[in-house]
Amino acid sequence: MSKIKITETVLRDGHQSLIATRMRTDEMLPILEKMDQVGYHSLEMWGGATFDSCLRFLNEDPWDRLKKIKSILKKTKLQMLLRGQNILGYKNYPDDVLVEFIKRSLDNGIDIIRIFDALNDLRNIEKAIETTKKYGGHAQGTIVYTISPVHNIELYVSLAKKIQDMGADSLCIKDMSGLITPYVAYNLVKELKKNINIPIQLHSHYTSGMASMAYLKAIEAGVDIIDTAISPFGLGTSQPATEPIVATLKDTEYDTGLDLNLLNEIAEHFKGIREKYIKQGILNPNVFNVDTRVLSYQIPGGMMSNLLSQLEAQNATDKFEDVLKEIPKVREDLGYPPLVTPTSQMVGTQAVFNVVLGERYKMIPSEIKAYVKGQYGKPVVPISDEIKKKIIGDEDVITVRPADLLPPQLKKYKEEIKEYYEKEEDVLTYALFPQVALKFFSLRKAEKYKIDDNLVNNKDMTYPV
């Protein structure tokens, strides 16, 4: 057994899970040289909600963050999370936008791209895997882990074999809600090891309190890489903390080889940042509570705050428990989609409407209609005719890959932002977040390109985490 490799998530999922992705680039840069000496497999530092948050809350250009971090890190690979055909947004984008985004990401410093689709519809990740490899990146295909009557080890092994056949360089088991139990982790990794021959990485969250145990059993089964977050931004709804895992494996056949003293120095830096966000009220201590309800409701940590915000807006916080109970029912109606961006937001919003209005599917968001029409992909379980009729009436459901219906858009986007255009990456920023991008571009043009503390301290968490 070779040593276990560690992907450090503090620069992306660690702070995305605990402080709604509010960490600023200037808070990251001073510690990067030390982090580069650790010997991590990779640093996950981009993708997910970081792109949106940089623009929306921090007045930062996410492309600048990537370049600045890359300029300091000489040894450690940079990793990002990509939502397949959704890229970093919340809908499917045309292939020309996807291809250009991946190419620019690699050109600006990304080495490894973890690629997933919320429905495990592999048609939605195939183009991204192909493009990542074409332009010299490491393409990590992903199976999104969830629990339902149809999601089982046999299904996951089948998906993994197809992902390997697509040319993926490695496979990630993405457990975004902390659902995987230790012995399921062991059995799943064992079966995957029998059926595929690319490295396997496990990503989990500590929400249910099981992730560290699941990691240990997965390590015993032969997993190659695990995701952890340095302790000030570990545990809770984040990943297991890096230092205890390293200490646990020390002097065993799985020894990571990482220096605990150096990790402790890095932790000291992030403790200061953590304290700042506690004082600002952005880091809520409740995110560190073990919440086994997630095993029933499968709600990722960030989705919980979104639900509360929606209910507060409706003066209906007393209906929170009812919404929690409604979510599994909506999920079943929709074919048991895994609850991860963007399906988590869609299912959660529909559950809120169903409860607050006192009638199921009286109000239906446009995203739910698009989902039922097949515009996000195909769920594992077909949606019943009764539910389809209720949501989209007699409209047709598409059966092709959703992006096949989308015409090229890059030239149009470039024309639309010609007043603000400074670099090719601006076109991609606008493509993903048009309104937020235009506001950012106008500030940049007016030379007001600076951190706005009012935005940073905004406690509105109603965006994907």
Side-chain angles (χ1 to χ4, degrees):
M1 174 73 195
S2 60
K3 71 177 184 179
I4 294 299
K5 297 176 181 176
I6 301 280
T7 290
E8 173 61 60
T9 68
V10 67
L11 302 182
R12 204 283 297 177
D13 205 5
H15 75 105
Q16 180 171 318
S17 297
L18 298 185
I19 59 169
T21 335
R22 294 298 206 276
M23 197 183 298
R24 292 150 40 162
T25 302
D26 61 9
E27 294 171 325
M28 302 174 184
L29 298 181
I31 197 63
L32 291 182
E33 287 187 9
K34 279 187 179 176
M35 296 183 80
D36 201 25
Q37 302 305 313
V38 171
Y40 291 120
H41 168 70
S42 62
L43 281 178
E44 193 206 35
M45 45 64 64
W46 216 57
T50 59
F51 204 96
D52 185 358
S53 185
C54 276
L55 297 163
R56 190 184 302 269
F57 297 111
L58 306 179
N59 276 356
E60 288 188 19
D61 187 328
W63 297 100
D64 286 350
R65 172 179 292 188
L66 172 55
K67 286 186 281 190
K68 286 175 180 176
I69 292 176
K70 186 65 174 181
S71 70
I72 295 173
L73 291 164
K74 307 301 181 186
K75 302 176 182 179
T76 312
K77 291 183 177 179
L78 300 189
Q79 184 169 319
M80 72 169 292
L81 181 67
L82 187 85
R83 300 179 190 131
Q85 211 70 36
N86 292 170
I87 310 180
L88 301 179
Y90 316 117
K91 64 178 184 178
N92 281 329
Y93 294 89
D95 284 341
D96 66 331
V97 177
L98 174 70
V99 169
E100 184 67 9
F101 186 90
I102 290 173
K103 183 176 182 298
R104 294 285 169 183
S105 299
L106 296 170
D107 286 348
N108 280 283
I110 291 295
D111 300 292
I112 302 170
I113 303 183
R114 177 177 293 168
I115 303 161
F116 79 94
D117 177 68
L119 296 177
N120 283 320
D121 186 337
L122 301 186
R123 299 174 302 171
N124 289 334
I125 70 171
E126 190 166 15
K127 188 70 175 178
I129 289 175
E130 171 197 314
T131 304
T132 300
K133 291 179 68 68
K134 177 180 177 181
Y135 292 106
H138 177 113
Q140 183 173 84
T142 304
I143 50 176
V144 177
Y145 183 82
T146 190
I147 301 169
S148 82
V150 296
H151 288 89
N152 53 37
I153 288 176
E154 183 181 7
L155 172 64
Y156 291 131
V157 169
S158 172
L159 289 169
K161 288 161 75 173
K162 291 172 183 173
I163 288 169
Q164 177 175 265
D165 290 344
M166 286 179 177
D169 298 298
S170 61
L171 178 85
C172 177
I173 304 164
K174 179 177 171 61
D175 174 26
M176 62 283 170
S177 299
L179 301 176
I180 198 165
T181 64
Y183 289 99
V184 169
Y186 181 90
N187 293 332
L188 176 55
V189 172
K190 271 288 186 191
E191 287 303 308
L192 289 172
K193 281 289 180 179
K194 291 177 187 175
N195 286 276
I196 63 173
N197 56 20
I198 54 177
I200 298 172
Q201 185 156 358
L202 177 57
H203 169 95
S204 189
H205 289 248
Y206 211 81
T207 316
S208 67
M210 297 189 296
S212 291
M213 294 182 284
Y215 278 11
L216 281 178
K217 293 304 294 183
I219 287 166
E220 291 175 1
V223 83
D224 300 281
I225 314 160
I226 54 175
D227 286 8
T228 64
I230 203 77
S231 56
F233 284 91
L235 305 180
T237 52
S238 179
Q239 281 70 58
T242 305
E243 304 98 305
I245 293 285
V246 170
T248 298
L249 300 178
K250 188 173 174 57
D251 298 326
T252 72
E253 61 185 303
Y254 311 114
D255 196 327
T256 64
L258 304 190
D259 182 343
L260 267 174
N261 291 325
L262 184 53
L263 290 173
N264 288 335
E265 290 180 38
I266 292 165
E268 283 301 313
H269 171 81
F270 287 105
K271 279 179 186 174
I273 298 171
R274 171 190 162 116
E275 290 305 310
K276 167 189 166 183
Y277 287 105
I278 288 174
K279 289 176 182 175
Q280 290 182 357
I282 291 175
L283 176 52
N284 185 333
N286 289 333
V287 300
F288 294 103
N289 295 338
V290 169
D291 190 352
T292 52
R293 291 181 303 177
V294 73
L295 301 174
S296 300
Y297 307 134
Q298 302 196 28
I299 298 173
M303 182 179 170
M304 197 76 81
S305 56
N306 282 348
L307 291 176
L308 284 168
S309 294
Q310 290 180 34
L311 289 170
E312 284 171 4
Q314 301 292 327
N315 293 317
T317 53
D318 60 312
K319 298 186 183 296
F320 182 61
E321 293 295 328
D322 293 333
V323 171
L324 290 183
K325 293 172 184 174
E326 177 66 11
I327 283 170
K329 297 174 186 175
V330 173
R331 183 170 172 255
E332 181 179 357
D333 289 344
L334 299 181
Y336 294 107
L339 296 183
V340 65
T341 302
T343 53
S344 55
Q345 288 81 3
M346 292 156 55
V347 170
T349 299
Q350 185 65 65
V352 168
F353 284 160
N354 289 357
V355 169
V356 170
L357 297 176
E359 180 182 334
R360 303 188 81 228
Y361 302 107
K362 181 178 182 180
M363 181 179 291
I364 301 166
S366 58
E367 292 84 359
I368 290 283
K369 292 179 180 179
Y371 170 90
V372 173
K373 289 178 190 176
Q375 291 173 6
Y376 284 89
K378 184 179 178 183
V380 172
V381 176
I383 300 169
S384 71
D385 290 339
E386 178 189 356
I387 293 296
K388 281 192 285 191
K389 182 79 172 176
K390 191 173 288 188
I391 293 176
I392 61 170
D394 295 323
E395 293 187 60
D396 291 333
V397 175
I398 68 168
T399 56
V400 299
R401 183 182 77 116
D404 288 344
L405 302 177
L406 302 175
Q409 296 285 310
L410 273 178
K411 288 184 179 178
K412 177 176 82 75
Y413 291 144
K414 188 170 183 178
E415 176 63 23
E416 287 175 1
I417 63 158
K418 61 184 178 183
E419 179 184 351
Y420 300 106
Y421 175 91
E422 291 185 9
K423 57 180 186 278
E424 285 297 315
E425 286 82 359
D426 289 343
V427 182
L428 297 164
T429 300
Y430 174 74
L432 297 184
F433 303 105
Q435 293 179 325
V436 177
L438 287 177
K439 182 178 179 181
F440 173 79
F441 294 154
S442 64
L443 287 172
R444 183 178 66 182
K445 189 175 181 181
E447 297 184 348
K448 293 179 181 177
Y449 182 37
K450 60 181 178 62
I451 298 292
D452 183 335
D453 284 332
N454 291 323
L455 284 172
V456 176
N457 296 334
N458 185 337
K459 297 178 182 61
D460 173 21
M461 304 300 182
T462 56
Y463 72 100
V465 296

